[in-house]
Amino acid sequence: MKNDNPEYPFHAEASALVQASAEELFAHLDDHSRLSSHMSKRSWMMGGGQMRIETDPLGGKAVGSRISLSGRVFGLALRVDEAVTEHAPPRRKGWATTGTPRLLVIGAYRMGFEITPQGAQSSLRVFIDYAWPATGLPGLKGVLAKAYAQWCTQRMGRDAAAHFAAR
């Protein structure tokens, strides 16, 4: 799917077939700590660092709810604040950055997922539309941003599929 929004000129997405009903999958992904678990674990893509995920009392499960991620990556302090922009169980959820994110390889973004029931399983599409960061590594921004966006969406899809395959 092409992104025509000039605020977020770049796009990445991944799909996965998940052995769960749309309702089960949405309930699992609606918990941001599960959805973003790849960010809270140390990995080479996270520069050996990790991010801490915090939500407001609504838990990131309603339009307007707030989510914050903060931590250290490659030894640098990073922070991003997000707000839920769409919450339509069991089919769609979306969120976007608020303020100016303090990130290395991508800047402002909007993300989301769509679930399409397919009998006892579901098709999951995870997407991100993003801009380059205001600061960062000038010559490498495009390459790093694309690689990170692809990694992130693929991990969300793979992690969801693996969670339900393990049942």
Side-chain angles (χ1 to χ4, degrees), residues 31-54 67-73 78 80 82 148 151-152 155-156 159:
D31 180 337
H32 218 71
S33 65
R34 289 184 191 142
L35 182 67
S36 299
S37 65
H38 61 284
M39 302 283 292
S40 60
K41 298 174 188 165
R42 294 185 192 281
S43 71
W44 68 272
M45 281 297 282
M46 295 295 295
Q50 62 191 64
M51 301 288 274
R52 185 177 63 255
I53 302 162
E54 297 177 13
I67 303 158
S68 295
L69 290 89
S70 60
R72 298 189 83 72
V73 175
L78 303 181
V80 62
E82 306 168 334
Y148 178 79
W151 172 78
C152 192
R155 279 299 306 262
M156 288 177 172
D159 288 352

Side-chain angles (χ1 to χ4, degrees), residues 87-109:
H87 194 263
R91 301 293 175 105
R92 288 184 312 280
K93 182 174 182 179
W95 58 97
T97 55
T98 60
T100 303
R102 199 156 94 207
L103 299 171
L104 284 179
V105 296
I106 64 170
Y109 60 84

